[in-house]
Amino acid sequence: MILNGKGLAERRLELLKDEIREQGLSPSLATILVGDDSASALYVKMKHRACEQVGIQSVHVQLPKEATTSDVLDRLKQLNEDPDIHGILIQLPLPLQIDTHLVLAAVAPEKDVDGFHPINIGRLTSGLSGPRPCTPKGIMTILSEYGIQTSGAHAVIIGRSVDVGRPMALMLLLADATVTICHSKTQNLTKITREADILICAAGKPAMVTEDMVKGGATVIDVGTNHVNGKLCGDVDFETVSKIAGAITPVPGGVGPMTIASLMENTVEATRIRCNTVL
């Protein structure tokens, strides 16, 4: 079974568009991009295109690649204090001279639609409500919509990043999965991955997951976005793994579109909470 994230995202965005119109909401999202990285610029453009599609107003802040942490914090302060801005997204990665942790912690928690603020990560850890990081949230939506059982399943995650691997593990734990996190220092990786009912790869290495690493019938989620010879490919060798997996996400058209759809959903939810608070 091909887990079509693109088609699912389109359906979710249409529902969100109807919800915005029916509830009379006026959501707004601000993005901050530092530098001229082409991939980051493309991702931001795609997010603004999704905003336009569903009826979310969007504002973009572009800073030069020489910008300092103080420059970013100054613009961030303005957005935090602007009552017309409901969500703020810092496009990652930031240039090396900028303190990423400091910047993410400076976003107002109620406007943190990426779910990276320490308070929101803490709420996730505690099982409390709050904005969830968009990629793991999108993956959980895929699993739910396609009827992939998480309760009692052994989920193995390759990658321990703060934006995917770690929050993914927490969200799967909350969904009653037994979770193993693997990383660059993990020994006997293939032995571990072959035990997975659900295998999620977010390592950033092209085609690192091969047929011999996957249990027959397993669900394989490919988070990778690698450019090889001018083509986008994932962390999973799709051609071989798809022959034995029970379900698999393609690249492109899998997790990526659901990440953007989740961002839109988080923005609308932040708007709804803000409107209820003001009322």
Side-chain angles (χ1 to χ4, degrees):
M1 178 169 58
I2 302 299
L3 304 176
N4 183 358
K6 182 178 181 181
L8 177 57
E10 287 297 321
R11 295 194 295 274
R12 303 279 294 193
L13 291 175
E14 283 302 311
L15 290 173
L16 203 59
K17 180 179 179 180
D18 294 340
E19 182 180 330
I20 291 170
R21 183 179 64 252
E22 292 168 3
Q23 297 184 12
L25 299 173
S26 298
S28 59
L29 172 68
T31 59
I32 297 180
L33 175 61
V34 183
D36 52 8
D37 179 76
S38 58
S40 292
L42 176 61
Y43 294 148
V44 169
K45 183 177 181 180
M46 293 167 64
K47 291 164 185 175
H48 283 273
R49 189 182 302 143
C51 285
E52 183 178 356
Q53 179 179 344
V54 301
I56 294 176
Q57 301 175 37
S58 61
V59 175
H60 181 56
V61 175
Q62 178 73 50
L63 295 175
K65 62 182 179 181
E66 301 83 7
T68 64
T69 299
S70 294
D71 294 332
V72 179
L73 292 177
D74 287 344
R75 297 306 298 270
L76 190 51
K77 184 174 185 293
Q78 296 172 12
L79 296 173
N80 280 338
E81 296 175 350
D82 188 340
D84 294 327
I85 298 295
H86 301 105
I88 300 172
L89 177 140
I90 310 294
Q91 183 62 44
L92 301 177
L94 292 169
L96 294 178
Q97 77 273 11
I98 295 176
D99 188 331
T100 298
H101 293 292
L102 187 61
V103 168
L104 294 178
V107 178
E110 66 275 12
K111 296 187 179 186
D112 169 38
V113 290
D114 247 343
F116 293 157
H117 192 282
I119 287 179
N120 291 326
I121 291 294
R123 293 185 67 84
L124 170 57
T125 303
S126 300
L128 300 174
S129 63
R132 303 310 196 210
C134 298
T135 296
K137 179 178 179 177
I139 292 170
M140 293 303 294
T141 300
I142 290 173
L143 295 175
S144 175
E145 290 293 321
Y146 278 94
I148 306 298
Q149 183 75 19
T150 57
S151 180
H154 183 194
V156 174
I157 304 167
I158 305 176
R160 54 180 170 179
S161 65
V162 296
D163 55 336
V164 180
R166 297 184 208 180
M168 186 79 257
L170 291 168
M171 294 174 75
L172 283 165
L173 280 172
L174 291 173
D176 297 323
T178 298
V179 181
T180 301
I181 300 180
C182 300
H183 47 78
S184 59
K185 301 297 188 294
T186 298
Q187 298 182 20
N188 301 317
L189 178 62
T190 297
K191 180 178 182 298
I192 296 172
T193 59
R194 284 184 63 84
E195 297 174 353
D197 301 305
I198 300 172
L199 177 60
I200 300 172
C201 191
K205 295 182 179 180
M208 72 163 290
V209 174
T210 52
E211 181 181 9
D212 63 307
M213 298 174 67
V214 179
K215 179 172 69 174
T219 296
V220 180
I221 306 293
D222 190 349
V223 187
T225 51
N226 310 292
H227 293 272
V228 179
N229 297 325
K231 294 184 178 181
L232 182 65
C233 66
D235 291 350
V236 176
D237 183 356
F238 184 87
E239 291 302 319
T240 61
V241 173
S242 62
K243 296 177 182 178
I244 64 169
I248 187 171
T249 57
V251 176
V255 173
M258 283 305 302
T259 297
I260 294 178
S262 297
L263 172 65
M264 299 299 108
E265 292 172 346
N266 283 353
T267 301
V268 171
E269 181 61 19
T271 306
R272 187 184 298 107
I273 292 173
R274 170 66 178 172
C275 290
N276 290 338
T277 302
V278 171
L279 291 175

